[in-house]
Amino acid sequence: MAEVYLRRLTRWQAEQQREAFADVYVSAYHGAAGAEYRDRIGFLRRFEQHVRHDGFDMTVADAPDLVGCAYGFRLERDGAWWADFPVEVTSQTEELTASGRVFALTELMVLPEHRRSGVATRLGDLLLSRHSQDLVVAGVDERRCSAGIRELLRAWGWKELPVTGPVAEVRGREVWARGPVR
């Protein structure tokens, strides 16, 4: 396997390469047969919104072609991000959010043939290395969060935030955090 090189991208570079990221997304997540177009369009719409956030940052892995990426942004101080997730938001989390000290790891994807070789860990470490936020969160789609991914998040020191409300209302959305959570 070729050596993997990591690099950071500016917001402008990320926008210029969005089609390549969509290709990796479709390949990395292998959606239902025939759903590739819908998955790709959905990713591109989300990416367009994410790249506009203050504090957007991105790292990519090349070997020599693109094999993975990680990106995220600083949460808005109004706390609106939390409304999309049925989790318990403590007063400490609200304070960190209001003070601009929460970073959301929005996407971390690696092509299947490059998994289990440390690429995801390296991408995440490089992305988070220059962020001084006290709390890092990741909203996870339960359909993509297998037991193996949960084990990996735990190994990286992440904790799943407790859900609120009836179980039927919270299915499908999880939030994992690294930092001061209880």
Side-chain angles (χ1 to χ4, degrees):
M1 186 175 298
E3 188 169 350
V4 175
Y5 298 94
L6 302 184
R7 59 190 171 97
R8 290 186 176 280
L9 296 184
T10 66
R11 182 185 316 259
W12 181 83
Q13 290 170 318
E15 289 174 332
Q16 297 302 310
Q17 297 179 42
R18 66 181 177 271
E19 293 294 331
F21 306 136
D23 291 343
V24 170
Y25 180 87
V26 170
S27 296
Y29 293 120
H30 298 295
E36 291 90 357
Y37 175 77
R38 188 175 59 250
D39 291 346
R40 180 185 184 78
I41 296 301
F43 170 80
L44 287 168
R45 285 184 184 137
R46 287 187 308 277
F47 186 75
E48 181 181 359
Q49 294 301 313
H50 294 158
V51 77
R52 293 180 183 170
H53 282 272
D54 285 339
F56 175 85
D57 197 7
M58 184 169 202
T59 57
V60 297
D62 299 304
D65 295 324
L66 184 66
V67 299
C69 65
Y71 72 83
F73 51 85
R74 188 177 56 250
L75 291 188
E76 300 291 332
R77 294 175 183 246
D78 63 8
W81 185 88
W82 295 103
D84 290 339
F85 300 96
V87 296
E88 183 178 328
V89 180
T90 65
S91 59
Q92 181 182 23
T93 301
E94 288 177 348
E95 288 174 24
L96 290 171
T97 304
S99 63
R101 295 178 11 225
V102 180
F103 185 83
L105 173 62
T106 310
E107 191 66 63
L108 174 62
M109 56 185 159
V110 176
L111 292 176
E113 58 271 20
H114 290 274
R115 292 181 184 157
R116 302 191 189 288
S117 62
V119 174
T121 301
R122 291 174 55 206
L123 279 167
D125 288 349
L126 180 59
L127 178 68
L128 299 177
S129 68
R130 73 174 175 193
H131 293 281
S132 61
Q133 279 76 7
D134 295 323
L135 178 62
V136 179
V137 295
V140 179
D141 182 337
E142 188 178 73
R143 293 170 295 163
R144 295 186 328 198
C145 194
S146 66
I149 292 173
R150 286 182 180 92
E151 288 175 28
L152 180 62
L153 287 167
R154 284 187 192 100
W156 286 348
W158 292 67
K159 297 177 186 171
E160 185 176 6
L161 297 184
V163 297
T164 59
V167 173
E169 292 178 18
V170 300
R171 281 195 54 77
R173 305 290 291 198
E174 298 175 6
V175 175
W176 289 75
R178 188 172 84 179
V181 288
R182 287 197 210 234

